[in-house]
């Protein structure tokens, strides 16, 4: 029997591919060929990423209705971590580092800060902890230097 797709139905496939994702395998060619349109996504521009982070913590996930307001300290924290992430990602793009600070790491940092951690604690446990420590010139130390410039590590 042949199963026909409803013309109003869409199917999306998402994948995290690349060397940054441990234990991932390249997508099978047959699966890749079944995806008609392939979009490669990069990080949003800084100002958009700041809006995404702020929206996530000021709106109900289910309804999208505003349910919270961020303090000036929280807004500044969001702005600073996104600025640093953008700077660090440029370093990865130029070959100076290998691991990029992800938007998920930033979400975790803001969530930790909103839960009561200090800015430094939030950065240390949610972002710096994602980078291996392998000596004085490790990526972790280099990322930590970026955060220390703004008093966040």
């Amino acid at each position: 029997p042949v199963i026909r797709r409803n013309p109003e139905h869409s199917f999306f496939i998402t994948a995290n591919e690349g060397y940054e994702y441990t234990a991932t395998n390249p997508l099978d060619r047959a699966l890749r060929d079944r995806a008609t349109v392939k979009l490669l996504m990069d990080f949003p521009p800084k100002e958009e990423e700041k809006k995404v982070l702020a929206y996530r913590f000021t709106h109900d996930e289910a309804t999208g209705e505003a349910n919270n307001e961020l303090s000036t300290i929280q807004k500044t924290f969001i702005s600073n971590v996104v600025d640093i992430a953008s700077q660090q990602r440029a370093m990865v793009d130029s070959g100076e580092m290998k691991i990029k600070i992800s938007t998920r790491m930033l979400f975790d940092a803001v969530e930790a800060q909103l839960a009561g951690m200090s800015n430094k604690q939030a950065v240390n446990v949610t972002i710096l902890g994602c980078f291996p420590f392998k000596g004085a010139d490790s990526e972790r130390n280099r990322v930590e230097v970026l955060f220390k410039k703004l008093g966040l590590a």
Side-chain angles (χ1 to χ4, degrees):
V2 175
I3 300 172
R4 304 253 182 240
R5 179 183 65 86
N6 181 317
E8 294 181 15
H9 176 80
S10 295
F11 185 76
F12 291 89
I13 300 170
T14 64
N16 291 330
E17 290 189 280
Y19 67 89
E20 286 189 46
Y21 301 99
T22 303
T24 59
N25 296 313
L27 283 181
D28 178 84
R29 170 121 189 226
L31 179 59
R32 187 178 292 282
D33 285 349
R34 284 178 173 80
T36 308
V37 176
K38 295 155 190 81
L39 301 174
L40 297 176
M41 303 295 292
D42 202 356
F43 295 98
K46 280 194 315 185
E47 295 310 313
E48 287 302 311
E49 192 166 28
K50 290 173 186 179
K51 288 178 189 176
V52 168
L53 282 167
Y55 186 90
R56 166 94 180 257
F57 295 103
T58 58
H59 291 75
D60 183 271
E61 279 189 58
T63 65
E65 293 184 27
N67 63 359
N68 192 13
E69 191 170 315
L70 296 173
S71 70
T72 302
I73 291 170
Q74 292 160 340
K75 289 176 187 175
T76 301
F77 181 69
I78 288 172
S79 182
N80 286 341
V81 295
V82 171
D83 287 344
I84 292 168
S86 180
Q87 181 181 353
Q88 189 269 344
R89 291 168 187 158
M91 294 170 80
V92 173
D93 292 341
S94 70
E96 296 176 58
M97 293 189 197
K98 291 184 180 180
I99 301 170
K100 288 184 179 181
I101 295 174
S102 69
T103 302
R104 183 174 294 133
M105 288 180 204
L106 299 180
F107 277 136
D108 291 345
V110 174
E111 192 164 48
Q113 194 251 14
L114 290 171
M117 285 188 183
S118 71
N119 293 349
K120 288 180 182 182
Q121 289 172 323
V123 166
N124 282 323
V125 301
T126 63
I127 298 174
L128 295 180
C130 295
F131 291 86
F133 181 79
K134 295 179 184 171
D137 194 39
S138 68
E139 285 196 22
R140 180 187 179 118
N141 281 354
R142 291 163 57 206
V143 172
E144 186 174 11
V145 166
L146 297 174
F147 282 100
K148 280 185 175 179
K149 287 179 184 177
L150 291 178
L152 296 176

